Amino acid sequence: VSWAAMIAGYARCDNYRLAVQSLEDMQCQGLKPVDAIFRSILAACSHVGLVDEGCQFFKSMIEDHGITPDIGHYNCM
């Protein structure tokens, strides 16, 4: 199972904690998140009402990872 699939699954089940933990585990292994992973993380934040955390991930996506937001990312915000 890919990291993206696990994170998306956790996000769809409103399990913010496991989605973020999976993202952190992935990064600890030296892997870089792609735009789809951030879409899932932002959706997880949105589903559980964590607006501030979602904004932090959105900012990190742009500034730390150089990912340009698309309509899907903005839709989660």
Side-chain angles (χ1 to χ4, degrees), residues 19-32:
V20 171
Q21 183 62 52
S22 295
L23 173 64
E24 292 170 356
D25 291 346
M26 182 187 87
Q27 291 176 307
C28 284
Q29 291 186 7
L31 301 171
K32 297 183 188 261

Side-chain angles (χ1 to χ4, degrees), residues 31-49:
L31 301 171
K32 297 183 188 261
V34 295
D35 65 326
I37 289 175
F38 277 104
R39 208 172 294 113
S40 295
I41 293 292
L42 294 173
C45 292
S46 174
H47 289 167
V48 296

Side-chain angles (χ1 to χ4, degrees), residues 1-29:
V1 175
S2 74
W3 286 105
M6 282 189 355
I7 293 169
Y10 290 138
R12 285 189 185 110
C13 293
D14 295 337
N15 199 329
Y16 165 81
R17 187 182 57 77
L18 286 176
V20 171
Q21 183 62 52
S22 295
L23 173 64
E24 292 170 356
D25 291 346
M26 182 187 87
Q27 291 176 307
C28 284
Q29 291 186 7

